[in-house]
């Protein structure tokens, strides 16, 4: 019997794998299901699988591969007449996010602006997808030094997702972004509070973890480093390394930078003895 792609079964198994947190198993499953969807001639299946795989590759730092997938998704959706759907808007958002990760702000803004217009036209101005867009825009504003704008966007995102009971992880990520902004602007007490709140949200998830935990641990380590508490800074840097290795592997681009940061903290701690 020839295997055929089944989208319902695909999402059920993907949800199960996400519960395990095994990034390598998730990626292998997505690659296998992508091949199956292609063999089945299931364009909707190809879009579904590539959308998930693009997110994994973006998180792993495989930006060129992720961008290729998202641009392929957009092209397929246009061919299918889906360019006025919320799914197309989300694909635009995801594509913009890859450009943002590569510091290509003009390109990111083009995709974010198109997603913004489509979300609003479809009646999603105050819905969860818009909060994701605000979060991404806030990162772009923060990285370009527009801190007041970044904070306002994060406040808008948080106001939306706090009304969604099941959006515990998303609330955590908004709090993480606010904490990172506090850290950047020297508001260490507020940064510590927001980062601890983000980590509490992640710990409350059914699996007790989230792919953004490493970033939160890293930022909290930086807070303690600036406060001169090198013992706590080292502890949280180690937690960040463990979370990064768990979710993305030790070959992730950020892993070496984090190791160097941990070494710097160790040297400071040694000088203080």
């Amino acid at each position: 019997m020839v295997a055929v792609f089944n989208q319902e079964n695909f999402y059920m198994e993907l949800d199960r794998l996400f519960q395990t947190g095994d990034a390598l198993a998730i990626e292998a499953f997505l690659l296998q299901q992508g091949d199956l969807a292609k063999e089945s001639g299931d364009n909707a299946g190809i879009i579904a699988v590539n959308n998930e795989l693009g997110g994994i590759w973006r998180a792993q730092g495989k930006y060129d591969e992720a961008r290729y997938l998202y641009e392929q998704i957009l092209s397929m959706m246009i061919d299918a007449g889906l360019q006025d759907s919320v799914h197309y808007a989300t694909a635009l958002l995801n594509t913009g996010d890859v450009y943002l990760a590569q510091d290509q702000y003009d390109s990111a803004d083009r995709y974010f602006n198109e997603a913004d217009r489509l979300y609003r036209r479809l009646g999603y101005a105050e819905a969860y997808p818009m909060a994701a867009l605000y979060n991404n825009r806030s990162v772009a504003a923060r990285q370009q030094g527009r801190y007041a704008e970044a904070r306002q966007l994060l406040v808008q995102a948080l106001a939306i997702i706090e009304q969604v009971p099941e959006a515990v992880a998303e609330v955590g990520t908004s709090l993480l972004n606010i904490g990172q902004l506090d850290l950047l602007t020297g508001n260490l007490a507020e940064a510590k509070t927001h980062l601890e709140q983000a980590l509490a949200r992640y710990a409350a998830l059914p699996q007790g973890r989230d792919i953004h935990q490493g970033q939160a641990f890293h930022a909290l380590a930086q807070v303690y480093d600036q406060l001169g508490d090198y013992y706590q800074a080292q502890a949280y840097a180690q937690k960040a390394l463990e979370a990064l290795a768990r979710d993305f592997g030790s070959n992730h681009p950020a892993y070496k930078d984090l190791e160097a940061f941990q070494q710097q903290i160790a040297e400071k701690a040694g000088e203080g003895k």
Side-chain angles (χ1 to χ4, degrees):
M1 182 176 176
V2 178
V4 176
F5 180 82
N6 182 295
Q7 194 161 147
E8 182 178 353
N9 292 344
F10 163 70
Y11 280 117
M12 287 177 59
E13 178 62 11
L14 184 61
D15 286 344
R16 187 192 69 77
L17 286 170
F18 272 126
Q19 293 294 321
T20 71
D22 188 335
L24 292 177
I26 293 168
E27 182 179 13
F29 172 71
L30 289 170
L31 289 168
Q32 181 268 330
Q33 288 291 295
D35 288 341
L36 183 58
K38 290 174 186 174
E39 292 168 5
S40 303
D42 188 335
N43 286 342
I46 294 171
I47 291 171
V49 175
N50 283 355
N51 189 54
E52 299 293 341
L53 183 58
I56 294 293
W57 281 351
R58 184 181 69 228
Q60 291 177 341
K62 298 177 181 178
Y63 302 129
D64 291 338
E65 294 92 332
R67 188 175 66 246
Y68 170 78
L69 281 184
Y70 284 135
E71 289 176 347
Q72 184 181 55
I73 289 170
L74 290 170
S75 178
M76 292 181 70
M77 293 181 83
I78 290 172
D79 290 343
L82 299 173
Q83 62 268 37
D84 288 320
S85 69
V86 66
H87 302 295
Y88 186 79
T90 300
L92 289 167
L93 171 61
N94 290 337
T95 308
D97 197 24
V98 176
Y99 281 106
L100 174 60
Q102 295 179 293
D103 299 332
Q104 297 184 36
Y105 301 117
D106 290 342
S107 295
D109 276 343
R110 283 199 299 274
Y111 285 98
F112 290 159
N113 288 339
E114 191 174 350
D116 187 303
R117 288 191 294 269
L118 186 51
Y119 279 141
R120 293 181 188 280
R121 191 166 78 243
L122 295 172
Y124 285 84
E126 300 297 327
Y128 167 74
M130 202 67 177
L133 180 58
Y134 286 143
N135 263 320
N136 286 3
R137 282 192 181 281
S138 77
V139 173
R142 184 188 74 209
Q143 291 180 351
Q144 294 176 86
R146 304 196 306 269
Y147 300 139
E149 179 186 345
R151 184 172 295 278
Q152 181 56 39
L153 287 163
L154 288 171
V155 168
Q156 289 176 280
L158 199 55
I160 292 173
I161 57 178
E162 282 184 328
Q163 306 306 312
V164 183
E166 63 271 21
V168 177
E170 290 78 4
V171 170
T173 300
S174 288
L175 289 167
L176 164 60
N177 288 339
I178 294 172
Q180 289 173 322
L181 183 59
D182 289 331
L183 172 62
L184 192 60
T185 54
N187 298 315
L188 299 182
E190 292 183 19
K192 180 175 177 291
T193 297
H194 287 129
L195 293 167
E196 287 174 343
Q197 289 174 340
L199 286 166
R201 294 302 196 286
Y202 296 146
L205 294 170
Q207 65 272 32
R209 57 195 285 184
D210 182 87
I211 62 171
H212 297 94
Q213 263 176 325
Q215 292 182 49
F217 285 134
H218 185 189
L220 200 49
Q222 291 174 295
V223 169
Y224 280 112
D225 176 38
Q226 292 190 31
L227 290 171
D229 188 340
Y230 302 126
Y231 175 81
Q232 287 282 30
Q234 282 183 296
Y236 279 106
Q238 183 59 38
K239 289 182 178 182
L241 279 169
E242 291 170 359
L244 197 61
R246 176 197 71 201
D247 294 329
F248 307 117
S250 57
N251 290 323
H252 190 279
Y255 193 87
K256 295 295 183 187
D257 292 339
L258 190 50
E259 281 187 316
F261 171 65
Q262 188 184 42
Q263 181 59 37
Q264 290 170 5
I265 298 170
E267 292 171 1
K268 291 179 184 177
E271 291 169 1
K273 290 182 180 178

